[in-house]
Amino acid sequence: MQNFIQAYSWINIRFLLEGLWVTVEVSVVSIIASFIIGSVLGVLRYVKIKYLSAVVGFVVDIIRNLPLILIIFFTYFGLPHLGFKPGIIFAAILAMTIFESAMLAEIIRSGILAVDYGQMEGARANGMSYVQALWHIVFPQAIKKTIPTIVSQFISLIKDTSLATIIVLPELLNHAQIIYGQNSAYILPMFLMIAVMYFIICYTLSILSRVLDKKLA
């Protein structure tokens, strides 16, 4: 019990919160960027533009089948050899965005395919162009259908930020490692606190997903 009391001193908690802020910062930026890029890629895969859709599909399939940690290594250690040296936080955001964009592209493409094609035909019959019908009628319905899956993917992204500790990203797990590296008796208290922090964030997102799903049903 003494170890827990000492481990949860205000200095340590504040240090963990600083790491949590970096985790949230990286996650939020990656979520926004990957949703935008993933939506574009998903639509491009769906519309079947000659050559372009095939190339996009090929690239997305490659990225989806690579481990995220390999992409993190590439953005931080590989890009400098190509003349671009990103900072740690930017490299983590870039890696997360690349990986999640590919995952979301497939989710959104599947969501569009799940929308009854009669919706497109009805919109076209009412005078909409193909692009207008896709943007105003089909795409919103696809997003509604895939909200639970998209949010689950975002939850995975938040947890996957811990992989960036391999490039010394000053996120939650990295700060916890620094704390228990100074005193091995703090290992269990730190892991328990990390679990609580991740649970609060991820469970909040899952609740939000259910609320949105009911409202948009």
Side-chain angles (χ1 to χ4, degrees):
M1 182 60 69
Q2 185 67 24
N3 288 335
F4 278 82
I5 295 174
Q6 293 175 349
Y8 296 149
S9 66
W10 169 240
I11 293 177
N12 288 344
I13 294 298
R14 185 176 63 183
F15 192 58
L16 285 178
L17 289 174
E18 290 173 359
L20 180 63
W21 172 249
V22 173
T23 295
V24 171
E25 182 182 26
V26 170
S27 299
V28 170
V29 175
S30 301
I31 284 172
I32 294 172
S34 62
F35 180 74
I36 295 171
I37 297 171
S39 296
V40 173
L41 295 178
V43 170
L44 287 176
R45 291 202 68 185
Y46 170 78
V47 296
K48 303 295 183 184
I49 299 174
K50 191 175 182 180
Y51 301 124
L52 179 60
S53 295
V55 171
V56 169
F58 179 69
V59 173
V60 165
D61 286 339
I62 289 177
I63 295 173
R64 288 176 62 237
N65 288 283
L66 292 176
L68 175 55
I69 195 167
L70 180 62
I71 299 175
I72 294 173
F73 266 112
F74 174 76
T75 57
Y76 189 66
F77 296 109
L79 288 181
H81 292 282
L82 300 177
F84 176 61
K85 187 176 182 179
I88 294 175
I89 292 180
F90 183 78
I93 291 174
L94 183 60
M96 299 289 174
T97 299
I98 291 172
F99 184 76
E100 290 301 316
S101 294
M103 302 300 287
L104 289 175
E106 187 61 25
I107 292 172
I108 291 171
R109 184 184 75 92
S110 299
I112 295 174
L113 289 172
V115 176
D116 191 335
Y117 191 72
Q119 299 287 324
M120 173 64 79
E121 293 178 333
R124 296 297 303 278
N126 280 285
M128 286 187 176
S129 66
Y130 182 83
V131 174
Q132 288 175 326
L134 184 61
W135 177 251
H136 294 289
I137 305 299
V138 177
F139 186 73
Q141 293 185 61
I143 294 299
K144 290 178 184 179
K145 289 176 179 292
T146 56
I147 280 177
T149 309
I150 289 174
V151 173
S152 294
Q153 195 62 43
F154 288 159
I155 290 173
S156 295
L157 183 150
I158 292 171
K159 292 183 287 187
D160 286 344
T161 56
S162 60
L163 293 175
T165 192
I166 199 70
I167 59 172
V168 201
L169 177 71
E171 46 75 58
L172 183 57
L173 182 59
N174 175 263
H175 279 208
Q177 290 174 333
I178 292 174
I179 292 173
Y180 67 68
Q182 298 172 353
N183 189 335
S184 59
Y186 294 170
I187 292 178
L188 181 57
M190 287 300 105
F191 279 126
L192 287 175
M193 182 57 68
I194 290 173
V196 169
M197 289 180 173
Y198 273 122
F199 175 78
I200 290 173
I201 295 174
C202 295
Y203 188 64
T204 300
L205 276 178
S206 66
I207 293 174
L208 178 62
S209 171
R210 289 197 290 268
V211 171
L212 288 174
D213 196 29
K214 288 180 180 179
K215 286 189 174 183
L216 297 176

